Amino acid sequence: MKHGLSCTVFALVVLISSFLSVCGNDGQQKSRFEKIKEIVAKNMDILGPMLKKGPSKEMIDFYLKKEAEKKKKRDSDFEKKKKKYAKQTKTMFLHAYNSYMMHAFPADELMPLSCKGRVRGLTQSRGEVDDALGRYMLTVVDTLDTLIVMKEYELFEDAVKLVIRGLSFDTDITVNLFEANIRILGGLLGGHASCLYLQSVGKLSWYSNELLMLSVDLADRFLPAFDTPTGIPIPKINLRHGIHGIKDNETCTACAGTLFLELAALSRYTGNSSYESLARVALDYLFERRFKASDLPGSTMNVNSGHWVRKDSGVGAGIDSYYEYLLKGYLITGDKRLWDMFSTQYEATKVHLKKNKYMMSVHAGAPKNRVKEHQDALQAFWPGLQVLAGDVDEAVEVHSHYVKVSGHNQNTLPESFLLTGQLYWPQYYIRPELVESNYILYKATRDPKYVDTAITILNAIENRCKVVCGYAALKHVASGELEDRMDSFVLAETFKYFYLTFAEEEDIGIPIEDYVLTTEAHLIPLHVQFFSNEKVNASKEVCINKKIYAWSWLEDSLFGRYLINALPVEICLVDDQPYNYKAKQKKSKEEPRTITSSLKASNFDYKNPEHVAVLRSMGINIEFVDGEKLQLVHNSGTAYSEQLGVEGVIFMKEISEHAKEMSRVAQQQAVAPRELFVQSLLNREVATFEAGRAQFGPDLTDGMRVAGTAELAQPADGCSVIINRLAGKVAIVHRGNCMFVDKVRNAEQAGAVGVVIIDNAEENSALLAMSGDGNDDVKISSLFINKADGAKLIEMLNSDPTMLILELREPTASDEKCGS
């Protein structure tokens, strides 16, 4: 009896387990039924007697329950595995992010082998690769919304404050327009969207659209690039001088076609349609210039003539994100014309480019002619786009090809490879494209194999790329030789897509399904399509009813405008001047702030936004000469009214007299020099250096002394937030890039008890009295020494980094000078 029961039990287990293993959620019932028949036929010697009699209902229920319990355990184990790797992903991300903040910020990128920042113009040039760098805090800006996704709210808030306080685009640097758009403008907009979300849940109440204002500043600097006969933008832009002196007149299809999401979002956040319109002209032109024989675009166009310079067409480098922005542009605008444009060209790729599992490159004018045999890592994004287009089965097939290539190269997808598997370009830059499409496929299919694929690639990065200061690229996927490079997209995209693959909804810091991810994985809310991007006709006042997500222009003290949240109210707009709408909220309880001109020169503070606004209303602009000398420039023609223009003239006379008086007082105070006394206990070395004093902060008189261990500030110029701890120390900073008083303020905020500023002039000049800005908020002392003495000081510090003691003091007759 026991034997018979065990046979029956075994038979049921076989039958039920086999049935469950071949039955899924889709409708392939016939094939599954045939498989079940095969299983039954193979086990008829056991199943026959049982099937004749038939199992009891209780027995079936019992084993169905057992199978359900097994499935629940498998699901539980799977969720535990995902949770484990979500945690590992965050740990890896924080290792990379903290390494950047510790060793590189505010430089654009981290050099992970050197443990220092990559600064354009200072570190060795890599050619056009460095056109992505613009001395604009690239990595931290690019990483803002990754911090939110990973629920690192405090780090996000700190990063936002650093960006708001320290980011400026007023630099004489020529950057790649495409890279600046997707990384910097996209990063700022993703950060802004994240801030708005946090405000909607009761956090970040202090935020007042500062990231959006920085976005406007940057986008305005992009605009001259679009001034071409075709509307296709020039590929490079100088952040200060626009297109002056730029000779480049050829751009890639992706470069011109991957601007729309960011600029359209900016238009819809601000109500200024100019940005979206210019980007849309470029998209439309690229589509109209497609080759009629194939409906495919070329890869490089002359921006002046509109002729295709390179006629190869594929889905990799040079074209890739053009297709992506047609589809995602439709998602954020609802414009069906964009969907039609995408559909036309997407169907063309299926006809002409897909060969089995491979996406090839062909001559767009003669699509039967293949133009190259190699593929690149950027193409691995394509399966993700196929999923969004509804071609899941094809996406699965194409994705498997890239996973296979990655697996043959120790799970690191090489930069370029032949169909035979041979390496074409052997580097691995920790790119996100394969991880991105893998994430999208997992979300679409929920197939656990995509989680396993993500784990395999993640472990390869940890094992092959991790170094003390972050994660380094591979020069060669076979040898494993490292390269001193960690691109910002590693933090902005690669780790973000890993985390989204593993993390559960409650572990993600923002409702990700409410956002479209740009080609740099930045967040654009889907609801921006409901924002107005229309400019108002200048000939009349137009009143419109805005919904909860609307924004209205009001005049702002610092930027000439600012955005406020608008509840459902009627807003009347008048087109006053380009990019500057004046608005009035008829039902608002508070009137907009008005600019007054009651400002005395003696009270002027260039950091006070109200004062800046007053000066702007009078036609006065603030400029910095050599990064540290404040200069006021008056043009009465730009004043808000004739009367304010006259007041501007009066103010300029007052400020001139005030500056002369301050200079006279400073000269009187600067007669007696100060001294810097240095003592190294380790080397038993003593030195004194003659130093100039500051016109701000406590003066070192009457025997007053300031002493502390010396430390070089990071960044070295002290012009932005100092990231190293200076509590109880004397900070050493270099002259340049900002006012003396700003350097000292930053050091004071970092905890310093004193500051030494080293001159940057090659020849020793007279020691100057460092000027302030009229405020008396600085509470620590500072001295100024020439460049030669500064070099000696740093040499002493390098030989005794922990024991060097400094005293800032009045000179005494007993001191014997070792410096000049």
Side-chain angles (χ1 to χ4, degrees):
M1 183 66 184
K2 288 184 179 179
H3 177 71
L5 179 59
S6 65
C7 286
T8 303
V9 169
F10 175 74
L12 279 172
V13 170
V14 171
L15 180 60
I16 296 171
S17 298
S18 300
F19 180 79
L20 290 174
S21 69
V22 297
C23 286
N25 294 323
D26 60 25
Q28 299 177 9
Q29 298 299 327
K30 183 176 180 180
S31 61
R32 290 193 172 93
F33 181 70
E34 294 298 327
K35 289 178 182 178
I36 292 167
K37 285 173 63 179
E38 291 175 9
I39 293 169
V40 171
K42 289 178 181 179
N43 295 277
M44 277 305 294
D45 57 330
I46 299 173
L47 290 173
M50 181 200 73
L51 292 175
K52 288 180 180 179
K53 182 178 180 181
S56 67
K57 181 179 182 302
E58 290 78 9
M59 190 175 292
I60 293 175
D61 290 342
F62 174 78
Y63 283 102
L64 284 175
K65 181 179 179 182
K66 285 293 185 183
E67 285 302 314
E69 290 173 354
K70 288 181 181 179
K71 184 177 183 303
K72 184 176 181 181
K73 185 179 185 304
R74 287 196 301 270
D75 290 346
S76 176
D77 291 343
F78 180 64
E79 295 306 318
K80 286 178 182 177
K81 180 165 66 173
K82 286 179 59 182
K83 197 171 189 68
K84 171 187 174 181
Y85 282 98
K87 183 178 180 180
Q88 178 175 322
T89 300
K90 183 182 285 193
T91 299
M92 292 171 65
F93 165 79
L94 290 175
H95 172 64
Y97 180 74
N98 290 334
S99 294
Y100 164 77
M101 295 303 293
M102 178 69 70
H103 301 289
F105 178 83
D108 282 326
E109 289 181 343
L110 169 68
M111 299 172 68
L113 301 182
S114 304
C115 292
K116 66 179 184 180
R118 186 183 298 281
V119 181
R120 190 166 172 190
L122 297 181
T123 47
Q124 184 175 1
S125 173
R126 300 173 298 172
E128 289 193 353
V129 174
D130 283 344
D131 287 345
L133 312 181
R135 295 193 181 186
Y136 38 30
M137 301 183 183
L138 173 58
T139 294
V140 72
V141 172
D142 214 5
T143 306
L144 287 175
D145 50 18
T146 305
L147 291 166
I148 278 291
V149 166
M150 293 195 180
K151 236 174 180 178
E152 291 291 335
Y153 294 139
E154 290 186 8
L155 287 178
F156 172 76
E157 184 170 0
D158 290 344
V160 169
K161 289 179 178 178
L162 290 174
V163 170
I164 290 172
R165 184 176 175 189
L167 182 57
S168 171
F169 298 118
D170 187 23
T171 53
D172 185 10
I173 292 181
T174 298
V175 298
N176 181 290
L177 177 64
F178 163 80
E179 297 288 358
N181 176 72
I182 66 171
R183 300 201 204 189
I184 297 296
L185 182 56
L188 291 171
L189 291 172
H192 175 64
S194 301
C195 288
L196 295 184
Y197 169 73
L198 289 181
Q199 288 189 326
S200 74
V201 295
K203 302 177 186 290
L204 227 65
S205 58
W206 58 266
Y207 179 71
S208 297
N209 302 307
E210 292 90 344
L211 296 181
L212 185 61
M213 293 299 99
L214 285 168
S215 302
V216 170
D217 181 13
L218 179 60
D220 285 347
R221 296 171 192 269
F222 289 172
L223 299 184
F226 291 88
D227 187 16
T228 65
T230 61
I232 298 294
I234 293 172
K236 295 181 181 179
I237 193 78
N238 185 284
L239 293 175
R240 179 177 290 168
H241 302 299
I243 59 175
H244 180 71
I246 295 177
K247 305 299 183 183
D248 301 65
N249 61 3
E250 296 178 1
T251 192
C252 71
T253 301
C255 300
T258 313
L259 305 170
F260 184 74
L261 288 187
E262 293 81 4
L263 293 177
L266 184 60
S267 281
R268 288 160 189 272
Y269 274 130
T270 63
N272 180 353
S273 64
S274 300
Y275 311 116
E276 181 174 342
S277 297
L278 290 170
R280 181 57 185 271
V281 166
L283 271 184
D284 288 343
Y285 192 84
L286 288 171
F287 180 74
E288 291 303 322
R289 292 291 296 164
R290 72 193 186 280
F291 285 84
K292 299 305 184 282
S294 63
D295 275 331
L296 294 171
S299 62
T300 304
M301 176 178 283
N302 183 296
V303 302
N304 295 317
S305 67
H307 293 150
W308 291 109
V309 179
R310 289 183 54 185
K311 301 175 182 179
D312 55 301
S313 191
V315 297
I319 300 181
D320 49 2
S321 47
Y322 162 65
Y323 291 112
E324 180 183 2
Y325 272 40
L326 288 175
L327 175 55
K328 292 182 178 178
Y330 165 69
L331 294 178
I332 71 162
T333 65
D335 186 343
K336 191 174 183 301
R337 167 69 175 158
L338 290 172
W339 170 256
D340 293 338
M341 292 161 65
F342 169 76
S343 297
T344 298
Q345 296 193 298
Y346 178 70
E347 289 301 319
T349 67
K350 294 169 69 174
V351 172
H352 301 296
L353 304 184
K354 189 172 184 296
K355 307 296 180 185
N356 298 319
K357 296 181 180 180
Y358 313 123
M359 299 301 297
M360 305 306 302
S361 293
V362 302
H363 188 293
K368 292 184 179 180
N369 298 331
R370 190 182 296 177
V371 296
K372 58 184 179 182
E373 296 297 323
H374 64 274
Q375 299 176 297
D376 58 65
L378 296 176
Q379 291 180 220
F381 95 101
W382 188 253
L385 192 67
Q386 288 178 301
V387 172
L388 297 180
D391 279 341
V392 177
D393 289 340
E394 287 200 10
V396 169
E397 185 180 38
V398 174
H399 176 265
S400 68
H401 165 60
Y402 299 115
V403 173
K404 184 177 180 180
V405 174
S406 175
H408 287 167
N409 291 280
Q410 301 179 61
N411 301 306
T412 47
L413 185 65
E415 191 69 0
S416 185
F417 43 90
L418 301 176
L419 293 182
T420 60
Q422 293 175 291
L423 298 177
Y424 193 79
W425 295 325
Q427 303 88 347
Y428 176 64
Y429 297 131
I430 320 181
R431 289 196 183 276
E433 284 76 15
L434 180 57
V435 186
E436 173 189 1
S437 61
N438 189 78
Y439 155 69
I440 296 173
L441 273 164
Y442 173 61
K443 291 300 179 183
T445 66
R446 291 294 173 178
D447 190 329
K449 74 178 182 182
Y450 295 111
V451 171
D452 292 334
T453 298
I455 290 171
T456 299
I457 300 171
L458 184 73
N459 285 334
I461 294 171
E462 177 73 1
N463 296 330
R464 304 196 71 196
C465 302
K466 186 176 183 179
V467 293
V468 173
C469 298
Y471 291 86
L474 299 179
K475 278 187 178 179
H476 202 294
V477 294
S479 69
E481 182 184 359
L482 296 172
E483 183 173 342
D484 201 2
R485 170 176 179 173
M486 188 179 83
D487 292 88
S488 67
F489 56 67
V490 176
L491 296 170
E493 298 183 77
T494 306
F495 284 125
K496 183 182 288 169
Y497 283 122
F498 275 127
Y499 189 76
L500 289 173
T501 302
F502 302 131
E504 296 301 322
E505 184 177 338
E506 62 269 18
D507 296 320
I508 299 173
I510 196 165
I512 201 72
E513 68 278 1
D514 293 341
Y515 296 83
V516 169
L517 273 63
T518 69
T519 196
E520 191 75 6
H522 292 308
L523 306 178
I524 295 179
L526 283 164
H527 60 245
V528 296
Q529 66 177 285
F530 302 115
F531 295 5
S532 171
N533 70 342
E534 295 297 325
K535 294 182 70 172
V536 181
N537 191 311
S539 64
K540 62 181 180 179
E541 182 179 81
V542 178
C543 294
I544 53 178
N545 291 315
K546 291 283 187 178
K547 296 184 178 180
I548 188 70
Y549 291 121
W551 303 88
S552 63
W553 282 111
L554 294 178
E555 289 193 67
D556 174 69
S557 55
L558 181 57
F559 299 100
R561 56 204 178 183
Y562 76 111
L563 293 170
I564 63 168
N565 271 315
L567 294 174
V569 294
E570 185 182 46
I571 301 174
C572 296
L573 303 174
V574 179
D575 192 9
D576 179 59
Q577 54 185 323
Y579 318 128
N580 188 4
Y581 296 103
K582 291 185 177 181
K584 55 183 178 180
Q585 278 185 262
K586 292 186 174 181
K587 298 181 181 180
S588 174
K589 294 181 179 179
E590 296 183 6
E591 292 296 320
R593 289 175 294 162
T594 57
I595 295 176
T596 63
S597 57
S598 57
L599 176 63
K600 300 298 181 184
S602 57
N603 297 328
F604 170 63
D605 176 5
Y606 78 98
K607 285 195 170 183
N608 186 319
E610 296 293 341
H611 293 184
V612 174
V614 171
L615 263 60
R616 181 173 292 173
S617 71
M618 296 187 290
I620 301 173
N621 289 321
I622 299 174
E623 297 179 359
F624 284 92
V625 180
D626 298 328
E628 59 189 38
K629 299 175 185 176
L630 189 68
Q631 177 175 295
L632 303 183
V633 179
H634 183 227
N635 180 355
S636 59
T638 62
Y640 289 5
S641 68
E642 184 177 346
Q643 176 61 34
L644 286 172
V646 173
E647 291 186 20
V649 174
I650 297 171
F651 180 86
M652 292 295 289
K653 290 181 179 178
E654 289 180 358
I655 201 72
S656 177
E657 294 299 321
H658 180 64
K660 290 178 182 178
E661 178 62 19
M662 289 182 65
S663 177
R664 184 186 65 78
V665 173
Q667 288 176 357
Q668 291 178 346
Q669 294 176 340
V671 172
R674 300 292 181 261
E675 284 189 345
L676 176 65
F677 177 75
V678 183
Q679 181 179 9
S680 171
L681 299 179
L682 180 63
N683 300 325
R684 299 182 180 277
E685 184 178 2
V686 176
T688 58
F689 305 102
E690 189 174 79
R693 64 172 298 278
Q695 299 173 24
F696 51 85
D699 189 16
L700 300 171
T701 57
D702 300 326
M704 176 182 176
R705 292 191 173 196
V706 175
T709 304
E711 184 168 336
L712 293 169
Q714 298 179 22
D717 61 8
C719 290
S720 57
V721 176
I722 294 175
I723 62 174
N724 49 328
R725 293 176 175 270
L726 297 175
K729 298 180 181 180
V730 175
I732 299 177
V733 301
H734 291 271
R735 182 181 183 182
N737 301 326
C738 64
M739 297 185 72
F740 293 118
V741 67
D742 289 333
K743 299 174 187 287
V744 179
R745 283 194 184 104
N746 290 335
E748 183 177 359
Q749 289 187 4
V753 296
V755 180
V756 176
I757 299 177
I758 300 174
D759 196 2
N760 56 7
E762 291 298 329
E763 296 182 0
N764 291 340
S765 55
L767 292 170
L768 53 82
M770 297 181 290
S771 59
D773 57 8
N775 294 316
D776 59 356
D777 58 321
V778 176
K779 306 302 181 188
I780 63 174
S781 299
S782 55
L783 292 178
F784 178 82
I785 63 175
N786 64 45
K787 187 173 183 178
D789 287 346
K792 295 176 185 177
L793 177 63
I794 292 176
E795 182 180 355
M796 292 182 68
L797 177 60
N798 289 337
S799 65
D800 183 7
T802 59
M803 299 300 294
L804 188 64
I805 306 298
L806 302 181
E807 292 186 355
L808 314 182
R809 65 181 191 179
E810 275 191 297
T812 61
S814 61
D815 289 332
E816 181 181 351
K817 292 197 172 104
C818 297
S820 55

